[in-house]
Amino acid sequence: MAPIIEVWDLVKDYDKVRAVDGVSFTVEEGEIFGFLGPNGAGKSTTIKILCTLLPPSGGVARIAGYDVVRQAEQVRRHIGIVFQDNSLDDRLTAAENLYLHGLLYGLPRQEIKRQMDEVLEMVDLSAWKKEVVRSFSGGMRRRLEIARGLMHHPRLLFLDEPTVGLDPQTRAAIWEYIKLLRQEKQITIFMTTHYMDEAENCSRIAIIDFGRIKALDTPENLKQQLGGDMITLVPAEGVDLLPILKERYGLEIKSTTEGLCFQVSDGASFIPQLASDLGLQIRSIYLRRPTLDDVFLNLTGRAIREEKASATERLRFSTHRRR
Ligand code: ADP
């Protein structure tokens, strides 16, 4: 089967910024595909182009085989959209919001009623069907928006930062619904996020920075490529272990506020060896598995949430101009 999303060399220029800088990828039917990157990386711009809301400056994007520029109408029939801005009418009830959406998509009335009950059930809002949206919490609104995005039976659902601004419990609940959708409806999900822990739920992730894809793989493979376990060692007071670790063990060490950080292929056997060699010269030592934060740090040299969008913009502007 052809991929449901195909993107080749996509480019988007705003006045002074190249927001998307030659992005290519494909998404297979049934995947939960995540675009992960810091603020200003170009995630929203890409998703807007794929949803036909913004024309690209270059490149090609196809959804379910349809070109997002030349066949926008067909593309829209196949996709559901849940964006960050709340677009529900909070003076209307949950049912009325869904009903309007069904009408806009030209669904027959009977079909709207049937589908409304099904999608409300799916996001656990059946009991709130006749309640005015104004009385809903942030999490309930987001769930209703997801339900609305599903009204017209899309094959592909676009979610732009679906859990931003929600508390951790609600974020976890939203994820349960997203996974359920994939399981029960075989809907493909394309989502953006800057939450590392959420990206772990995706079947594959593209890590995007300054409008370019830096890596694309399953979360597990991305972490495995880093090779092994992350170890942080804090030397005893007044002891400098950096030269010993470098010379004797040939380790590449990063000195951080937490201690000396390095990677080894098998931490569980390396730690006892280190403890027996260096003994009381070590104050503490701990091991953890690599996270997507480590992957991002390794690819870009900085943590994902280190930079503000304005700094990103300045940097991107200067690289763009130099080319
Ligand atoms: P993300 O979703 O990853 O935070 P965006 O796609 O929103 O990133 O933005 C990518 C870059 O494009 C940023 O530098 C941003 O400031 C810039 N940008 C986004 N929208 C516009 C716009 N309408 N006009 C000018 N610049 C924009």
Side-chain angles (χ1 to χ4, degrees), residues 14-15 17 19 37-46 84 160 309 312-313 316:
Y14 292 115
D15 273 358
V17 174
N39 282 335
K43 304 183 297 294
S44 297
T45 302
T46 307
Q84 287 173 47
D160 193 12
T312 311
E313 269 166 43
R316 178 164 340 169

Side-chain angles (χ1 to χ4, degrees), residues 37-43 161 194 209 304 307-310 312 316:
N39 282 335
K43 304 183 297 294
E161 300 269 359
H194 65 278
D209 194 31
I304 199 162
E307 293 192 43
K308 297 250 177 349
S310 55
T312 311
R316 178 164 340 169

Side-chain angles (χ1 to χ4, degrees), residues 31-32 34 36 196-207 215-230 263 265 288-296 298-299:
E31 279 195 273
I32 299 182
L36 174 72
M196 293 288 177
D197 52 338
E198 292 200 340
E200 298 270 0
N201 292 307
C202 296
S203 35
R204 283 191 308 145
I205 310 170
I207 293 186
L216 197 167
D217 213 325
T218 62
E220 208 37 55
N221 283 351
L222 287 170
K223 287 184 284 184
Q224 245 162 30
Q225 279 158 21
L226 278 185
D229 300 315
M230 317 294 291
Q263 275 174 268
S265 56
R288 62 179 177 77
R289 300 286 304 143
T291 63
L292 287 173
D293 266 305
D294 298 316
V295 175
F296 190 81
N298 190 51
L299 287 170

Side-chain angles (χ1 to χ4, degrees), residues 16-207:
K16 293 177 181 167
V17 174
R18 175 154 287 189
V20 178
D21 192 7
V23 158
S24 303
F25 61 93
T26 55
V27 177
E28 301 298 325
E29 197 122 17
E31 279 195 273
I32 299 182
F33 188 88
F35 241 39
L36 174 72
N39 282 335
K43 304 183 297 294
S44 297
T45 302
T46 307
I47 209 170
K48 280 182 190 147
I49 295 172
L50 298 182
C51 291
T52 76
L53 300 173
L54 202 62
S57 313
V60 176
R62 280 188 218 281
I63 304 290
Y66 298 109
D67 185 282
V68 295
V69 178
R70 289 182 290 104
Q71 297 165 299
E73 188 63 39
Q74 286 96 321
V75 169
R76 285 186 208 134
R77 277 185 211 288
H78 285 89
I79 63 173
I81 305 177
V82 181
F83 278 1
Q84 287 173 47
D85 320 314
N86 174 21
S87 58
L88 297 165
D89 190 329
D90 66 2
R91 295 161 303 177
L92 302 180
T93 64
E96 286 164 345
N97 269 286
L98 298 182
Y99 200 85
L100 269 181
H101 183 90
L103 286 182
L104 278 174
Y105 274 81
L107 301 182
R109 279 162 210 268
Q110 269 322 99
E111 166 68 5
I112 297 180
K113 287 191 176 144
R114 205 192 50 74
Q115 181 68 356
M116 185 191 293
D117 288 337
E118 187 176 328
V119 294
L120 283 174
E121 174 82 36
M122 181 151 250
V123 297
D124 226 356
L125 283 177
S126 301
W128 297 82
K129 182 176 171 182
K130 302 225 166 98
E131 301 298 325
V132 176
V133 169
R134 196 181 291 142
S135 64
F136 285 20
S137 68
M140 288 164 74
R141 285 172 193 235
R142 201 64 55 88
R143 272 148 57 198
L144 183 58
E145 284 184 285
I146 293 176
R148 187 181 56 180
L150 297 170
M151 276 294 287
H152 54 285
H153 307 281
R155 283 168 63 191
L156 172 61
L157 188 64
F158 284 100
L159 303 167
D160 193 12
E161 300 269 359
T163 63
V164 84
L166 301 175
D167 62 78
Q169 265 159 324
T170 315
R171 282 173 56 194
I174 297 277
W175 265 104
E176 288 311 307
Y177 297 118
I178 293 175
K179 287 181 186 165
L180 200 72
L181 275 181
R182 181 208 197 181
Q183 241 170 39
E184 292 192 355
K185 299 265 167 198
Q186 288 81 47
I187 289 178
T188 310
I189 313 272
F190 180 99
M191 59 168 306
T192 67
T193 183
H194 65 278
Y195 294 123
M196 293 288 177
D197 52 338
E198 292 200 340
E200 298 270 0
N201 292 307
C202 296
S203 35
R204 283 191 308 145
I205 310 170
I207 293 186

